[in-house]
Amino acid sequence: MNLQGKVAIVTGSGSKRGIGRAIALCLAEKGADIVVADMNLEGAKEVAKEVEALGRKALAVVANVTEPGSVQQMVDETLKAFGKVDILVNNAGITQPITTLDMTLEDFERIIKVNLTGTFLCSKAVMKPMMEKKYGRIINISSVSGKRGGGVYGGSHYSAAKAGVLGFAKALAREVVEHGITVNSVAPGLIATDIRVGLPMEKEKAIWETIPMKRPGTAMEIAETVAFLASDGAAYITGEDIDVNGGSHMD
Ligand SMILES: NC(=O)c1ccc[n+]([C@@H]2O[C@H](COP(=O)([O-])OP(=O)(O)OC[C@H]3O[C@@H](n4cnc5c(N)ncnc54)[C@H](O)[C@@H]3O)[C@@H](O)[C@H]2O)c1
């Protein structure tokens, strides 16, 4: 998995224990220069330092994936610093454990906006630069919730958004295949990050028991799958989604 000379934007990669940070570091370990994009600029700067410590170039940018202007600025800054964008990882996401009956329209729209609309806006913004180079890898972070229905930490809005990401990726994959761009998704199961803090340990352990591997996944286990999809080894894979969930859902 040699990503030497590649430039990757990873959205939502400023979280200390997050999947995005692990993806940024994993792609950097394999040779890519990284744009660490997050709403949390301080967090992004910290991760950018870690990328640089691995001997790669890094740029921390503040970006809100729900705002078209902010997304465009993220891509413009990337092009200014590196001249191209080879890899986009649509990782920024939020969840909310809530039943549909308790859910407000605002709740529903907020979750759709960050997880699904954000994926659309960021993908659209990198399409032209990728088409010009006739090369691109777009990788979305979906969720087991989008396939199985009902996550532990997310409501029906989160499942709808993450299922939407999978459909969006397949349609986009068909559109851009002639331009040398692949579009794939990774669907994590339960991963040990801050998105799920707050649950009592006995409840957490009860969830582990439902997973065939009897443990949560690590952020790095998601990152390694993303790195594979970004690599030349995955050149003939597009419109696919890969489950990384310890066996908690198989299809
Ligand atoms: N942790 C899990 O169990 C799990 C399971 C399945 C899928 N996922 C998905 O993995 C991705 C990463 O989640 P995580 O667990 O690392 O969570 P996290 O909360 O640690 O990280 C999410 C990051 O996204 C950023 N972010 C939120 N809204 C944003 C916006 N509008 N624009 C830009 N950045 C924004 C946050 O600042 C944060 O840094 C998400 O898409 C999540 O839905 C997580």
Side-chain angles (χ1 to χ4, degrees):
M1 283 196 229
N2 184 357
L3 300 178
Q4 210 81 32
K6 299 282 192 275
V7 174
I9 299 176
V10 186
T11 68
S13 52
S15 173
K16 232 184 185 70
R17 300 193 319 132
I19 293 170
R21 169 182 169 270
I23 293 169
L25 297 180
C26 187
L27 298 183
E29 263 169 21
K30 294 173 194 338
D33 295 326
I34 310 292
V35 177
V36 183
D38 205 294
M39 289 215 302
N40 167 8
L41 183 59
E42 284 317 304
K45 281 182 180 166
E46 288 300 313
V47 175
K49 271 189 217 148
E50 292 185 87
V51 167
E52 282 167 355
L54 292 169
R56 309 312 322 164
K57 289 188 192 130
L59 178 70
V61 298
V62 62
N64 181 344
V65 297
T66 69
E67 295 292 335
S70 177
V71 167
Q72 192 54 54
Q73 197 177 327
M74 170 185 81
V75 174
D76 289 348
E77 283 184 41
T78 303
L79 295 175
K80 196 171 164 214
F82 298 111
K84 62 174 184 167
V85 48
D86 300 296
I87 301 161
L88 167 70
V89 186
N90 285 309
N91 167 78
I94 56 168
T95 187
Q96 182 190 26
I98 189 171
T99 65
T100 308
L101 211 51
D102 289 336
M103 199 179 285
T104 63
L105 176 62
E106 287 72 28
D107 289 330
F108 189 86
E109 288 181 340
R110 188 179 67 254
I111 296 292
I112 296 287
K113 212 169 174 189
V114 177
N115 292 287
L116 181 55
T117 311
T119 296
F120 155 68
L121 289 173
C122 294
S123 302
K124 183 168 179 186
V126 298
M127 278 170 69
K128 278 193 183 152
M130 284 182 174
M131 283 170 169
E132 274 165 24
K133 301 278 180 198
K134 297 195 185 325
Y135 182 91
R137 294 272 191 273
I138 298 176
I139 301 154
N140 306 312
I141 306 302
S142 176
S143 170
V144 67
S145 310
K147 303 183 99 183
R148 186 180 60 188
V152 179
Y153 299 100
S156 59
H157 48 3
Y158 183 71
S159 290
K162 292 303 194 183
V165 163
L166 298 177
F168 173 76
K170 287 180 199 296
L172 182 62
R174 286 183 197 277
E175 270 184 44
V176 297
V177 69
E178 66 186 281
H179 299 286
I181 303 170
T182 66
V183 188
N184 293 291
S185 307
V186 177
L190 183 67
I191 307 299
T193 73
D194 289 341
I195 208 169
R196 41 173 269 284
V197 293
L199 207 68
M201 195 33 103
E202 61 274 21
K203 268 205 165 170
E204 172 96 23
K205 288 240 167 92
I207 296 165
W208 296 3
E209 280 309 306
T210 68
I211 302 170
M213 288 193 191
K214 307 280 183 219
R215 67 168 177 90
T218 66
M220 202 42 91
E221 285 169 328
I222 304 303
E224 287 288 352
T225 307
V226 170
F228 165 64
L229 288 171
S231 75
D232 286 346
Y236 200 52
I237 300 175
T238 197
E240 183 54 78
D241 40 85
I242 301 183
D243 292 326
V244 185
N245 62 26
S248 59
H249 173 80
M250 302 177 192
D251 63 7

